[in-house]
């Protein structure tokens, strides 16, 4: 475990007083590392840092797992003085300011696209346990759900769902269906554009006799906006008032932007995160349920998949 952390983070970190922290010694007791990507000049980072300090302090004082978690700050600061000042507010170690190469490698390895970002990884393997740690800090302030690993979709979505005629449906009705988990919001123009296409695709798939359902997980800013947007949709939704369940679904799939359409098979296993691309590229739904294909013609809409793993691009 220690050897892996050394390969991931280097032999030395620094604390708020610029004292060295030995990664080999640190790693011997840990099971989870929170990689905190941030910048001292970013207002949301400053705000999140205060919440993270409160969370960390409580966890270290009260949790039975207090010795199994550590946070490591990975800064994108360009000014060392600003970095030092920000580090003074933290109770956890950081990558040294000058270690830019290792910082960039971690940004790329964990596909971080914005700050603040908190990614929990297994200390022995580096495998992502939870990508959206910001929601963990907000939703589990006492750390009761440690280590925040993924749960089955059926467990996370469990509870009443809505139809736009205000009738209720139970999440158990999804059993045996392909499911699209649709993260979207009325205020987002690309979301509204996708919704118009998705409505047609949904109806075509249902008319073909396929067992398919969509669950809308709203990122709207008010109940009124949710109701207005949901009135355009023929599928199910998590009630807007159930913020905890909406947040757990965001955490489960590490949602970092909308619109996002996750496709699941009848057992709740993920088929693809790229439901948006599949729907737009297959208006006739001929390839539903859109299992990943070995070869694709590279286009502007599916180029995002180049970030998801090793790819070979062949120019012919």
């Amino acid at each position: 475990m220690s050897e892996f952390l050394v390969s991931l983070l280097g032999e030395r970190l620094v604390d708020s007083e610029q004292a060295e922290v030995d990664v080999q010694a640190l790693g011997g007791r840990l099971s989870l590392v929170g990689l905190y990507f941030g910048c001292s000049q970013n207002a949301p980072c400053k705000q999140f840092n205060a919440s993270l300090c409160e969370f960390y302090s409580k966890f270290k004082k009260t949790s039975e797992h207090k010795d199994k978690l550590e946070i490591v700050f990975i800064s994108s600061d360009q000014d060392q003085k600003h970095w030092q000042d920000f580090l003074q507010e933290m109770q956890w170690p950081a990558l040294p300011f000058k270690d830019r190469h290792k910082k960039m490698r971690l940004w790329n390895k964990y596909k971080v696209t914005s700050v603040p970002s908190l990614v929990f990884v297994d200390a022995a393997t580096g495998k992502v346990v939870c990508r959206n740690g910001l929601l963990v800090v907000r939703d589990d302030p006492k750390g009761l759900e440690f280590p925040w690993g993924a749960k089955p979709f059926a467990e996370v979505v469990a509870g009443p769902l809505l139809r736009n005629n205000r009738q209720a449906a139970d999440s158990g009705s999804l059993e045996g269906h392909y499911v699209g988990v649709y993260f979207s919001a009325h205020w987002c123009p690309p979301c509204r554009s996708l919704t118009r296409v998705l409505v047609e695709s949904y109806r075509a798939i249902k008319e073909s006799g396929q067992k398919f359902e969509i669950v809308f997980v709203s990122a709207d800013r008010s109940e009124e906006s949710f109701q207005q947007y949901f009135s355009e949709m023929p599928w199910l939704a998590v009630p807007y008032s159930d913020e905890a369940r909406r947040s757990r679904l965001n955490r489960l799939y590490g949602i970092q932007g909308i619109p996002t359409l996750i496709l699941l098979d009848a057992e709740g296993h993920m088929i693809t995160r790229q439901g948006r691309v599949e729907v737009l590229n297959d208006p006739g739904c001929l390839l539903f349920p859109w299992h990943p294909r070995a070869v694709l013609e590279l286009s502007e809409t599916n180029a995002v998949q180049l970030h998801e793993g090793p790819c070979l691009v062949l120019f012919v």
Side-chain angles (χ1 to χ4, degrees):
M1 182 184 299
S2 299
E3 290 73 17
F4 173 77
L5 276 185
V6 169
S7 70
L8 186 72
L9 302 173
E11 295 183 355
R12 297 283 184 273
L13 302 173
V14 294
D15 64 17
S16 59
E17 303 301 321
Q18 298 288 295
E20 288 189 346
V21 177
D22 186 278
V23 174
Q24 185 83 23
L26 183 71
R29 53 188 170 79
L30 297 178
S31 62
L32 200 69
V33 176
L35 301 176
Y36 169 28
F37 298 86
C39 175
S40 67
Q41 300 300 292
N42 179 277
C45 287
K46 297 284 283 186
Q47 185 176 3
F48 174 69
N49 197 68
S51 300
L52 184 57
C53 283
E54 184 178 352
F55 170 87
Y56 183 88
S57 180
K58 281 183 183 176
F59 189 90
K60 289 296 185 180
K61 287 176 181 176
T62 63
S63 175
E64 61 181 301
H65 306 293
K66 60 185 178 183
D67 293 328
K68 296 181 178 179
L69 171 70
E70 190 53 270
I71 306 290
V72 176
F73 179 50
I74 300 157
S75 169
S76 56
D77 279 291
Q78 302 298 311
D79 183 276
Q80 186 165 2
K81 177 65 167 60
H82 289 149
W83 173 78
Q84 288 175 339
D85 291 343
F86 199 32
L87 195 60
Q88 301 248 319
E89 302 173 19
M90 301 177 186
Q91 305 160 48
W92 47 83
L95 279 183
F97 178 78
K98 294 181 180 180
D99 207 342
R100 295 174 186 264
H101 175 73
K102 197 168 266 82
K103 292 177 190 176
M104 186 57 65
R105 187 159 61 85
L106 288 166
W107 274 72
N108 292 333
K109 179 179 177 65
Y110 292 107
K111 300 180 175 69
V112 177
T113 57
S114 62
V115 293
S117 184
L118 177 61
V119 181
F120 290 110
V121 303
D122 186 292
T125 64
K127 182 179 178 181
V128 174
V129 173
C130 177
R131 184 167 295 282
N132 207 329
L134 276 68
L135 293 179
V136 168
V137 171
R138 189 190 74 182
D139 298 342
D140 187 24
K142 296 182 180 179
L144 300 178
E145 296 179 33
F146 178 89
W148 309 296
K151 297 178 180 179
F153 169 73
E155 181 180 336
V156 178
V157 80
L161 299 171
L162 299 176
R163 290 203 179 273
N164 62 16
N165 60 7
R166 299 186 180 274
Q167 289 185 346
D170 188 82
S171 59
S173 65
L174 299 172
E175 188 173 340
H177 286 64
Y178 291 106
V179 177
V181 191
Y182 184 35
F183 299 85
S184 185
H186 186 263
W187 52 262
C188 164
C191 293
R192 296 199 302 274
S193 296
L194 177 60
T195 296
R196 288 191 288 271
V197 178
L198 188 56
V199 166
E200 297 305 316
S201 297
Y202 174 82
R203 288 176 174 152
I205 294 166
K206 298 284 275 188
E207 288 170 5
S208 73
Q210 298 268 15
K211 284 191 164 185
F212 179 52
E213 194 52 83
I214 294 176
V215 177
F216 171 42
V217 184
S218 173
D220 286 294
R221 292 163 179 164
S222 70
E223 175 83 36
E224 183 181 8
S225 292
F226 163 76
Q227 292 292 351
Q228 180 183 350
Y229 193 30
F230 186 43
S231 69
E232 305 169 14
M233 303 176 183
W235 46 73
L236 299 168
V238 176
Y240 185 78
S241 58
D242 197 344
E243 185 176 354
R245 191 161 31 140
R246 289 191 289 121
S247 183
R248 286 195 297 270
L249 285 163
N250 273 272
R251 278 166 48 192
L252 177 62
Y253 296 113
I255 302 303
Q256 295 184 310
I258 56 173
T260 294
L261 178 63
I262 306 287
L263 269 299
L264 308 177
D265 66 17
E267 284 73 47
H269 302 133
M270 189 186 298
I271 295 173
T272 178
R273 298 181 63 87
Q274 301 300 330
R276 176 191 185 186
V277 172
E278 298 293 354
V279 166
L280 294 176
N281 285 349
D282 183 25
C285 305
L286 302 178
L287 300 174
F288 178 84
W290 301 302
H291 287 284
R293 299 186 295 285
V295 179
L296 292 171
E297 183 174 338
L298 188 61
S299 68
E300 187 176 350
T301 53
N302 65 29
V304 65
Q305 296 179 67
L306 294 172
H307 297 289
E308 296 199 345
C311 298
L312 172 66
V313 180
L314 181 62
F315 294 91
V316 294

